[in-house]
Amino acid sequence: MFINDKKVKEKIMIIGWSQNELARRMQLPKGTLSNVLLGRRGAGRKVISGLLRVFPEERLEDLVYMEGRKEQHACNL
């Protein structure tokens, strides 16, 4: 799975958090979150559970793409 980086970045901008603050709240290393948001690596269980814990009002389907969906989304922009 891949993170909907646009949605996550929009949420942290509205809240006023940095990417480092999000990583801290998700209990992840900063580099891990950066690589996931850049699409360099997929989102595993820890990343997804961290996002759902930090943004409990969001649905899983709005925060992540299944395999291959990120490429489809990029083509539609």
Side-chain angles (χ1 to χ4, degrees):
M1 287 192 230
F2 291 92
I3 295 299
N4 180 344
D5 59 314
K6 184 177 178 182
K7 175 81 169 182
V8 172
K9 288 175 183 177
E10 179 182 295
K11 289 195 69 66
I12 65 172
M13 184 183 74
I14 290 168
I15 296 169
W17 293 347
S18 66
Q19 193 171 307
N20 290 342
E21 177 63 16
L22 177 60
R24 185 186 72 74
R25 289 174 182 261
M26 290 174 64
Q27 300 174 349
L28 292 174
K30 295 179 281 188
T32 298
L33 180 60
S34 177
N35 286 329
V36 169
L37 289 174
L38 290 171
R40 292 181 184 154
R41 66 176 276 188
R45 182 174 34 103
K46 287 183 180 182
V47 172
I48 294 169
S49 65
L51 280 174
L52 292 172
R53 186 175 53 254
V54 172
F55 303 123
E57 71 284 359
E58 293 294 331
R59 298 178 327 143
L60 175 65
E61 297 82 12
D62 295 331
L63 294 173
V64 300
Y65 300 113
M66 298 303 164
E67 301 283 344
R69 291 281 314 272
K70 184 174 178 106
E71 291 79 17
Q72 288 176 319
H73 177 71
C75 293
N76 293 331
L77 295 178

